[in-house]
Amino acid sequence: MTHNDMSTTQHMQAPQTPAVSSSQPGAGPEGSDHPHPRGGGSPSRPASPGKESGWTLLGYDVRHWAHGHMFAIVTTAVFILLNITRWVYRAIRHLGSGPNALSTDFAKMMVKRRISMSGMHRELDVSSPSLPSQIWNLAGSLVFVSGILTLLFNAALMLLILSVAQSRLGVARTVVVSVGSAVLGTAIGLLLCVAANMYLNNWQWVQRIPVSLSPLIVMVGALMAASAYESILWRRRILLIGYTAISALLLFSGNPGDYCALAAAVVGHVTGRVMHGKPTEHIAWWKGTDYEIRRLFAAAQFVLAIGPILALTSHSHAGPLTGLGLFTAPDFGSSTLLNVCLSSRSARSCMILAAGAKNLTAVSLWFGVLLPVAALAVVAWGVYRGKRLAAWTSIILNSTTVIFAALYYLVFPLVIDADNPALVGRYGFTPAFIATALPPLALVVLLVKSLPHFSVRASRISVRTGIAAIVVALLGTSAGYLLFGSLFPRDFVPRASIARLLRDLPRRFLPMGFAGRTGSLIRPRTVFSIMVTQGAGIIFWMCVLIVFVLWFQDSLKSDGYGRARASQLVQVGGESMSFMTTWEGNRYWFSPTGRSAIAYRVLHGVALTVTGPFGDPREYMTSLREFIRFCDAHSWSPAFYAVHEEQRQELEDLGCSSIQVGTEMLVAPSTWQTRGKKWQDIRTAINKAKRDGVTDVFTTYDAAGWNVQQQIVGISEQWAELKSLPEMKFTLGGIEELTDPRVALLYAQDGDGKILGVTSWLPTYQEGRVIGWTLDFMRHRTDSPNGVMEFLIARMAERLRDQGQEDPDHAVTFMSLSAAPLAGLSPDGQDSAMITHALQIVADTLEPAYAFKSLYFFKRKFQPIPSPIYICYPDSAKLAQIGLAVTGAYLPELTPSQILDMLKSLRPNDDK
């Protein structure tokens, strides 16, 4: 359980493993716990447990952040207050008007809905508001929203965007850019909306629909302007996410406000470039790394995936890709729904029209919509992860969309009315067909051209198994639907027959446009028939979703062959923690020469390393750079866990940030002595052990014998039963890790052969020679006399000192007491301060169970040399995922019941 490598100036040699030696008794502290790191810290300051609690430090962070972003906070608060005041005022006014006013409003609403539901696309004959009133309503829509969820979403977005803009532009420029881009963007956006819809022959719709803007228009310009002041990585992300979100709304909805939002974003973007000047780094979208190019394709696939949701739920249906969204939406059994939604530019929502179908329940409606969308979103996720199979899946699905679009617009009209070829002229190469077929076709062409960027391949077994599962689901649900229809034909209108069931079968699984222009041939009329009819498609798409998730997840198994190679390389060279790379659960990256390697685990999209490189020390720095490239190729974010100062500096030169996650305690055996007042506790432990007849034995697990092994297992089980949480893993060894014959054991026993405490020591090698030992496993009986652990550690130091004096050529360089986990957390800059202090809260809460701070102070008794260890990461946006990855690596077996037990038994540590 240790984490660091000693610098080359400290060299000590280790005892040759299975020797038995006795020494006089001692008794141990409260330390029957593992050592190890966590946390974050400044490189220049030795890690030590802070006197302030994590909550106090986090409170400082929040107050500091609030002080620097007061404009964003006040503006958001005013926005919330204005909306709440308006709602209260309108409620009071309605109540004051009496029930007649409410009844009139309700009647108007119902008439409007009936007109829309019947396909009669007319507006109520109401007098048009005056021009000043229209301008006032337009301006009000920039501030006022219609519901509590919309208010909360916009408030969170406003706080985030204005915080970023304020910190980059300053308050004055943020206000000017926000207002200017909103005013100019609204004017340009409305002109674009008019021009686009005149070209698409939607002018009547533009005249009828009430123009409504959104608070996003006020904020987005400032965000785009602030992007000019960001690094190229964050600039690319802001532009990609911002334009993708706005474009998706515009393409699939087409509300005038969407045009205004896009125009405001462009105005803000240009304004930011003008204010900042020429950027030192230019974004080359198609010349970036595989990682960034995959982001572009994933964004495009995700937009096409959510298109049906946006098109179905939009209050307007005049976006350039609205037809594509409705075309790929699930078929609801309504013979005219697609045509009605496409022609009804101002229908409240296609979901309302769909819900009006008698054979559809609300639950099946949402399942039918969300499952295919979720499956396609998972494909986008796989594309983002660089999966070759995801790229091919996207190619196949989008090619299918293009083929069915051609059938819908070119072939089906001729089939329906073969005597009227003019239908092709009406439905053929129209803007609707081009808008439906061109986007997926363009994505297919570009994906095929860019397949080399998707290098992560799936195993043939998983591909075949997934395809088999989809085929079985399709055949099974189809057979079930046909069998039910044959057995209960009267449950359908008209009466079901095999021919009708077969012709209706595609509608159970395919989107609206894929099912053709004809309506449903049969409709279920009983509750059970509705469940069967809708359930067939739901079960099929559920299976597809599960297969896609299994295909595209990061499913990495531990590498047995790589582990054997790593076990050999670790004896060539490494750091104090490098031996932990040989443990179960790791995967390995090997350098092109095969002379160095890095062990890692992939959790939450993060490749979390077990310390730094090991093997040939001459390749260490090159290996760091190559491993980052390797992670980019697999769309992982690397996090180098428990690296030392030299590697930290190299990684920071490569653009990484760092957080101190612990402090390794180093002892130089060559200078070991216990004279002086500071060593009083250690001398007391040694003398007490002598008086009590306690001896220490240095050996290995296999050489210790069955009786000793069983006692060690018993001590370990006794220790585990006292913990509310499971035994920690990753860099914390357990019984399994003791069995390696290269791992040394040092245990204390009394005169009757009873084991009182045990420690394990991991070797560190240099060219096949042991140059240091690192403390890992450390446990004692609950009834052991005090001082047992102090005695064992002191005896290990004495043994190493004595062996070095007897054989100077093989003297070890260091003895590591491992790192103190979650002690000495210290951030590297303001960006990581808040998460560092959040980790401190975790440390305070877990202290009663794992005694991190007690362990830290226990190790200080040996007057060690503190050596900070760090976690280094290139992408600060991944800090939350890195935290989850570290937690998952240490506690992979944590269950909900154990979390409840922990909450019941643990309390925050109030020690200051």
Side-chain angles (χ1 to χ4, degrees):
M1 322 172 43
T2 228
H3 299 100
N4 253 355
D5 169 309
M6 297 310 87
S7 58
T8 54
T9 58
Q10 304 168 317
H11 279 315
M12 316 191 272
Q13 161 78 44
Q16 303 307 312
T17 35
V20 176
S21 165
S22 64
S23 174
Q24 304 313 323
E30 40 182 89
S32 77
D33 247 13
H34 290 78
H36 276 292
R38 276 233 193 113
S42 101
S44 58
R45 186 178 68 183
S48 61
K51 294 184 178 180
E52 295 175 308
S53 70
W55 287 109
T56 302
L57 294 172
L58 194 60
Y60 291 154
D61 293 334
V62 173
R63 287 195 293 272
H64 176 75
W65 180 88
H67 182 268
H69 300 84
M70 190 57 65
F71 168 73
I73 296 173
V74 172
T75 304
T76 304
V78 171
F79 168 70
I80 295 173
L81 185 61
L82 285 175
N83 276 275
I84 294 177
T85 302
R86 177 172 177 262
W87 292 342
V88 172
Y89 167 75
R90 295 182 67 178
I92 294 175
R93 190 182 68 174
H94 271 299
L95 291 175
S97 300
N100 292 333
L102 292 174
S103 299
T104 302
D105 291 344
F106 179 75
K108 288 181 179 180
M109 181 188 70
M110 293 305 296
V111 170
K112 216 169 190 178
R113 174 168 293 187
R114 288 194 190 102
I115 291 175
S116 177
M117 293 285 293
S118 64
M120 300 165 56
H121 312 301
R122 300 191 302 266
E123 293 295 323
L124 291 176
D125 185 15
V126 293
S127 58
S128 301
S130 63
L131 181 61
S133 177
Q134 290 180 351
I135 296 176
W136 174 255
N137 292 336
L138 195 65
S141 64
L142 292 170
V143 178
F144 299 117
V145 297
S146 58
I148 184 65
L149 293 179
T150 308
L151 175 63
L152 294 176
F153 174 78
N154 280 281
L157 200 61
M158 180 177 292
L159 182 62
L160 175 63
I161 290 177
L162 293 183
S163 297
V164 173
Q166 177 185 355
S167 62
R168 303 304 187 270
L169 305 176
V171 174
R173 289 198 292 180
T174 298
V175 173
V176 172
V177 172
S178 297
V179 175
S181 60
V183 173
L184 191 57
T186 299
I188 296 174
L190 292 178
L191 290 175
L192 287 174
C193 178
V194 171
N197 284 281
M198 287 183 67
Y199 173 75
L200 295 174
N201 297 320
N202 293 335
W203 175 243
Q204 293 182 348
W205 167 80
V206 174
Q207 291 179 308
R208 289 200 310 264
I209 191 169
V211 178
S212 178
L213 307 181
S214 76
L216 176 65
I217 298 173
V218 181
M219 303 178 280
V220 69
L223 177 64
M224 293 303 184
S227 69
Y229 295 82
E230 296 284 357
S231 66
I232 188 171
L233 179 65
W234 278 104
R235 194 188 324 148
R236 182 190 283 117
R237 287 175 176 174
I238 290 174
L239 297 180
L240 178 61
I241 295 174
Y243 282 124
T244 298
I246 296 171
S247 300
L249 293 172
L250 172 61
L251 293 173
F252 289 100
S253 174
N255 189 279
D258 301 328
Y259 287 89
C260 297
L262 179 61
V266 173
V267 170
H269 189 180
V270 173
T271 303
R273 287 289 299 272
V274 172
M275 290 191 303
H276 180 268
K278 186 177 180 180
T280 57
E281 298 176 296
H282 292 278
I283 299 177
W285 293 100
W286 294 104
K287 295 182 181 179
T289 63
D290 290 347
Y291 188 61
E292 294 302 325
I293 290 175
R294 291 166 187 167
R295 286 176 180 268
L296 294 176
F297 280 112
Q301 180 59 59
F302 183 73
V303 168
L304 295 182
I306 64 173
I309 290 286
L310 297 176
L312 287 170
T313 58
S314 173
H315 294 177
S316 55
H317 313 117
L321 299 186
T322 296
L324 174 61
L326 295 173
F327 188 84
T328 56
D331 182 44
F332 297 129
S334 173
S335 60
T336 59
L337 178 59
L338 177 56
N339 294 328
V340 167
C341 283
L342 285 172
S343 59
S344 176
R345 303 297 183 185
S346 57
R348 179 70 176 170
S349 167
C350 287
M351 294 295 284
I352 295 176
L353 296 176
K358 294 181 180 180
N359 64 326
L360 191 66
T361 64
V363 174
S364 62
L365 168 65
W366 281 107
F367 268 109
V369 171
L370 293 178
L371 285 176
V373 170
L376 293 175
V378 171
V379 173
W381 173 54
V383 170
Y384 173 77
R385 290 294 184 199
K387 308 285 187 179
R388 177 68 63 89
L389 180 58
W392 275 113
T393 303
S394 177
I395 290 171
I396 293 171
L397 293 177
N398 285 290
S399 298
T400 304
T401 301
V402 175
I403 292 171
F404 275 94
L407 292 174
Y408 185 88
Y409 285 98
L410 302 178
V411 177
F412 288 162
L414 290 177
V415 174
I416 295 172
D417 193 351
D419 298 329
N420 187 11
L423 280 176
V424 178
R426 189 188 316 164
Y427 291 109
F429 291 97
T430 60
F433 167 69
I434 295 173
T436 301
L438 185 59
L441 178 61
L443 183 58
V444 167
V445 172
L446 291 173
L447 269 175
V448 171
K449 183 180 177 181
S450 304
L451 276 176
H453 293 290
F454 301 89
S455 56
V456 183
R457 300 178 182 270
S459 67
R460 293 184 178 181
I461 295 178
S462 66
V463 175
R464 292 170 181 171
T465 302
I467 294 175
I470 293 175
V471 171
V472 169
L474 177 62
L475 295 178
T477 51
S478 300
Y481 174 68
L482 295 175
L483 180 62
F484 177 83
S486 301
L487 294 177
F488 304 97
R490 290 187 176 85
D491 285 359
F492 295 85
V493 177
R495 181 187 175 95
S497 65
I498 291 296
R500 285 175 176 154
L501 289 170
L502 287 173
R503 292 179 62 188
D504 188 68
L505 185 61
R507 294 187 175 277
R508 302 306 115 213
F509 310 104
L510 296 177
M512 257 192 277
F514 290 25
R517 287 186 171 272
T518 58
S520 293
L521 299 173
I522 53 176
R523 290 181 292 114
R525 66 183 184 87
T526 64
V527 174
F528 193 60
S529 62
I530 291 174
M531 292 175 60
V532 172
T533 301
Q534 302 300 330
I538 291 174
I539 293 173
F540 170 74
W541 280 106
M542 184 81 73
C543 177
V544 171
L545 177 61
I546 293 173
V547 169
F548 283 0
V549 169
L550 294 177
W551 270 353
F552 307 139
Q553 68 178 351
D554 292 320
S555 55
L556 296 178
K557 299 178 181 179
S558 53
D559 184 354
Y561 173 71
R563 187 181 176 194
R565 290 179 62 191
S567 185
Q568 296 173 350
L569 280 178
V570 81
Q571 296 185 200
V572 175
E575 302 182 342
S576 59
M577 193 179 169
S578 293
F579 196 82
M580 298 172 189
T581 62
T582 65
W583 292 352
E584 187 71 36
N586 295 320
R587 287 187 64 86
Y588 302 94
W589 170 88
F590 293 96
S591 67
T593 65
R595 294 198 302 266
S596 64
I598 293 178
Y600 66 95
R601 303 182 183 197
V602 177
L603 297 162
H604 303 285
V606 174
L608 185 68
T609 71
V610 183
T611 193
F614 57 95
D616 187 348
R618 294 171 296 182
E619 293 190 356
Y620 286 179
M621 300 311 161
T622 303
S623 294
L624 294 174
R625 293 190 294 271
E626 292 299 323
F627 183 75
I628 292 176
R629 294 192 184 99
F630 168 74
C631 291
D632 286 343
H634 288 75
S635 293
W636 300 327
S637 182
F640 296 88
Y641 187 74
V643 297
H644 297 84
E645 183 63 32
E646 183 180 2
Q647 294 179 6
R648 170 184 177 262
Q649 293 177 0
E650 176 69 18
L651 288 167
E652 288 190 344
D653 290 341
L654 295 175
C656 292
S657 301
S658 64
I659 298 177
Q660 184 177 331
V661 292
T663 304
E664 187 172 27
M665 305 296 190
L666 305 177
V667 174
S670 60
T671 60
W672 173 264
Q673 55 79 32
T674 57
R675 296 187 300 273
K677 184 177 180 180
K678 293 181 179 180
W679 295 91
Q680 180 62 46
D681 289 346
I682 306 303
R683 290 197 303 271
T684 299
I686 295 173
N687 294 333
K688 186 175 186 301
K690 291 180 180 180
R691 292 194 304 269
D692 294 345
V694 175
T695 58
D696 65 287
V697 179
F698 185 81
T699 183
T700 64
Y701 189 78
D702 288 340
W706 185 84
N707 181 52
V708 172
Q709 292 174 0
Q710 294 306 304
Q711 290 193 65
I712 292 174
V713 171
I715 292 173
S716 182
E717 292 300 317
Q718 185 184 59
W719 174 89
E721 290 175 0
L722 299 176
K723 305 297 178 184
S724 300
L725 294 177
E727 184 178 14
M728 301 181 86
K729 304 289 186 182
F730 192 37
T731 60
L732 305 177
I735 293 293
E736 296 82 1
E737 287 69 37
L738 300 182
T739 58
D740 192 306
R742 295 170 293 183
V743 175
L745 289 187
L746 185 68
Y747 62 85
Q749 64 180 8
D750 62 14
D752 298 327
K754 179 181 178 181
I755 306 300
L756 303 177
V758 60
T759 58
S760 74
W761 299 84
L762 308 178
T764 299
Y765 293 92
Q766 181 176 311
E767 297 179 352
R769 183 177 69 88
V770 177
I771 62 168
W773 292 92
T774 298
L775 177 63
D776 180 30
F777 191 88
M778 184 170 67
R779 294 176 188 174
H780 62 67
R781 293 185 184 275
T782 55
D783 59 350
S784 294
N786 291 333
V788 167
M789 305 315 295
E790 287 95 330
F791 164 69
L792 284 173
I793 293 174
R795 282 295 301 138
M796 185 65 174
E798 290 177 354
R799 286 175 174 275
L800 296 179
R801 179 196 62 195
D802 296 344
Q803 289 183 7
Q805 291 174 352
E806 295 173 3
D807 186 4
D809 292 337
H810 295 87
V812 298
T813 305
F814 67 89
M815 182 182 84
S816 172
L817 303 183
S818 189
L822 290 172
L825 299 172
S826 178
D828 179 33
Q830 185 61 35
D831 290 343
S832 60
M834 193 167 294
I835 193 169
T836 302
H837 295 153
L839 286 174
Q840 185 62 56
I841 294 175
V842 176
D844 293 341
T845 304
L846 295 179
E847 176 65 20
Y850 289 108
F852 298 131
K853 291 182 180 179
S854 300
L855 183 62
Y856 174 86
F857 287 113
F858 165 69
K859 292 178 179 180
R860 288 183 59 182
K861 294 180 181 181
F862 300 92
Q863 309 305 314
I865 301 170
S867 176
I869 57 176
Y870 305 89
I871 185 169
C872 299
Y873 49 92
D875 189 354
S876 59
K878 302 290 185 179
L879 275 174
Q881 291 171 251
I882 292 172
L884 291 173
V886 173
T887 302
Y890 274 109
L891 293 169
E893 302 170 0
L894 186 63
T895 63
S897 62
Q898 288 169 328
I899 294 176
L900 291 175
D901 291 341
M902 177 192 71
L903 296 176
K904 293 175 183 178
S905 60
L906 301 185
R907 57 178 178 77
N909 188 2
D910 297 328
D911 296 340
K912 297 288 189 271

